[in-house]
Amino acid sequence: MSEAASPSDDGTVPPVASPVARLRGAVCVLGGFPALAGVDLDLHAGEVAWLRGPNGAGKTTLLRLLAGLGTVRQGSAEVLGADLTRVADRRWLRRRVGLLAHATFLYDDLTVEENIRFWADLHRSDPGDVDSAMARFGLDGRLRTVPVRGLSAGQRRRTSLAVLVARRPLLWLLDEPHAGLDAEGRAMVDRLITDATGAGATVIVASHDADHMPALAPRVLDVAGGVVRDAPAPGAES
Amino acid sequence: MNRLVADAWRIARKDLAIERSSRVVGSQILPFGIVMLLLFAFGVDPELQVRGGERSILAEIAPGLFWITVLLALLLVSGRSFAVESDDGSLDALLVSGVHPGSILAGKTLVVAIQLALLEVVVGAGSMLLFGVRVDDPLHLLVVMLSTTVALAGAGTLLLAVVAGYSGRDTLGPLLVLPSMAPVLIGATAASGAALYGTGSDGAAWTWALVAFALLYGAAGIVSAGALLEDV
């Protein structure tokens, strides 16, 4: 894979292969159990898709697969043009996606700023992007020098989101992004998703928040038993 | 290659910052080394002389006691190195950042080696004070300590990476590391004895073997890191 396709200075993302993700009969096995049992899925640039389904349905596994962290045992899977059956392609892909998981991926003994700068530095992000990401989530004041172990759950979540924003990924994979956030934080996440898709990125959100998500995601994907199906758009269900 | 080295250095700097903030080395690892020295001093009669009263038995067996202490500390230091990554899923995040797994192991090996070297300075000084150890050939000893430290850090990081994803890693790690390190322990003890007292005819051969161990384990970590840390 080439090193092309990096975000431009104005925050927009360059054109990416369409569809952004294309899975055909993709099977992903975890601990001998098919967590994804033949997924067919197309995701397009600028799209927001809501993954919904019961616990254990395969939502997190699908997000990890799209992030290049899983192995496709059968079928085919391409994300941003990377063939997920190839190790080198998965490594290339990982630099271009942003994954927000249940874990916050933060180091308790480092300060908020040290955490954000470490992850941004690894991703070769612009230092200016780090400052603006911290400001966006209200982390540029007193919280900047606070060790992460001293943060509340919501503040940790905001720090994780700031890491993601500083990276400017082409594909955002968000697992319960509103969890643990107050009303202001939830509104920040909503604006973040809107801004990301406005800049041309694609956003997939796994969430149990049936009250909040319909207004945010025009496309709904039902996940059950390791299989993904398009559901009627939120407005069309009633 | 440049990216691999640069990322390894970034990870090492991050781990050093974590250690600086948590102060685990100063408050737990170094005291562990001192406690081990005291236990050895209590457990072995310091008045007992060997080699016709030339030195105490503690001074005679000091090289072995020294490297056993370092080997046990390796379990603590390497285990902690991966614990900070698994506490909040950061290992996944490192991989999603596109960092080559070899950089992760190389960066962690460097920081583990630095911590072991600090411990060796303290335990070495303590051995001289408590056991009456003297050094015949300081340069030889330095080469032995450097190569053994790199070999232990490389192997410890590599082997604990193997078990990092298992729930029983705290007990499985020592079971894997301790027997695997027997050749390094034997070589380091023999080569250190030669550097301290000029004893043994094969000190130089063991020293070269330790250098080979250091290169082997360092290279093995970088080459096999992908298979150990990623789903391949």
Side-chain angles (χ1 to χ4, degrees), chain A residues 175-197:
Chain A
D175 203 349
E176 299 290 354
H178 300 96
L181 292 174
D182 56 17
E184 186 192 355
R186 293 161 75 86
M188 279 180 189
V189 172
D190 294 352
R191 278 198 301 276
L192 181 65
I193 292 171
T194 307
D195 290 351
T197 51

Side-chain angles (χ1 to χ4, degrees), chain A residues 109-151:
Chain A
D109 291 312
L110 299 183
T111 66
V112 167
E113 183 174 12
E114 284 172 334
N115 267 286
I116 297 172
R117 290 207 184 277
F118 167 70
W119 292 112
D121 201 23
L122 271 187
H123 197 69
R124 314 297 195 267
S125 298
D126 189 307
D129 287 346
V130 175
D131 294 331
S132 60
M134 289 176 68
R136 177 171 193 159
F137 287 95
L139 301 167
D140 54 342
R142 182 186 61 83
L143 289 177
R144 177 190 284 258
T145 54
V146 173
V148 162
R149 82 172 85 82
L151 299 183

Side-chain angles (χ1 to χ4, degrees), chain B residues 113-159:
Chain B
I114 289 171
Q115 293 176 76
L116 290 183
L118 278 174
L119 176 79
E120 287 166 23
V121 169
V122 170
V123 174
S127 301
M128 293 172 91
L129 281 172
L130 289 173
F131 303 163
V133 170
R134 59 177 172 75
V135 183
D136 265 8
D137 188 347
L139 190 62
H140 185 188
L141 185 63
L142 187 66
V143 173
V144 171
M145 289 175 77
L146 275 177
S147 49
T148 307
T149 303
V150 174
L152 288 177
T157 310
L158 177 67
L159 293 171

Side-chain angles (χ1 to χ4, degrees), chain B residues 64-186:
Chain B
L65 302 181
F66 177 90
W67 289 116
I68 286 172
T69 302
V70 175
L71 183 56
L72 293 177
L74 169 71
L75 296 174
L76 304 178
V77 172
S78 294
R80 178 170 156 71
S81 179
F82 278 98
V84 296
E85 303 300 347
S86 54
D87 278 351
D88 202 11
S90 302
L91 196 55
D92 275 352
L94 284 176
L95 295 173
V96 174
S97 292
V99 175
H100 191 284
S103 295
I104 299 173
L105 278 197
K108 292 198 163 291
T109 297
L110 176 62
V111 175
V112 168
I114 289 171
Q115 293 176 76
L116 290 183
L118 278 174
L119 176 79
E120 287 166 23
V121 169
V122 170
V123 174
S127 301
M128 293 172 91
L129 281 172
L130 289 173
F131 303 163
V133 170
R134 59 177 172 75
V135 183
D136 265 8
D137 188 347
L139 190 62
H140 185 188
L141 185 63
L142 187 66
V143 173
V144 171
M145 289 175 77
L146 275 177
S147 49
T148 307
T149 303
V150 174
L152 288 177
T157 310
L158 177 67
L159 293 171
L160 286 172
V162 174
V163 298
Y166 292 90
S167 56
R169 60 180 176 267
D170 292 339
T171 43
L172 193 56
L175 273 179
L176 199 59
V177 171
L178 294 177
S180 309
M181 290 298 92
V184 178
L185 181 68
I186 293 166

Side-chain angles (χ1 to χ4, degrees), chain A residues 18-50:
Chain A
S18 193
V20 168
R22 185 183 181 86
L23 277 62
R24 291 291 178 270
V27 174
C28 186
V29 178
L30 287 180
F33 177 78
L36 296 178
V39 172
D40 295 316
L41 178 66
D42 285 320
L43 295 169
H44 300 280
E47 191 170 46
V48 183
W50 171 24

Side-chain angles (χ1 to χ4, degrees), chain A residues 145-170:
Chain A
T145 54
V146 173
V148 162
R149 82 172 85 82
L151 299 183
S152 69
Q155 288 167 335
R156 291 176 73 104
R157 202 67 171 166
R158 276 158 56 186
T159 307
S160 296
L161 286 163
V163 170
L164 214 57
V165 168
R167 287 183 55 174
R168 290 203 218 167
L170 302 171

Side-chain angles (χ1 to χ4, degrees), chain A residues 64 90 94 104 107 109, chain B residues 21 85 88 92 96 230-231:
Chain A
R64 287 176 58 84
R90 290 207 298 273
R94 289 173 195 151
T104 55
Y107 298 102
D109 291 312
Chain B
S21 168
E85 303 300 347
D88 202 11
D92 275 352
V96 174
E230 293 179 303
D231 293 318

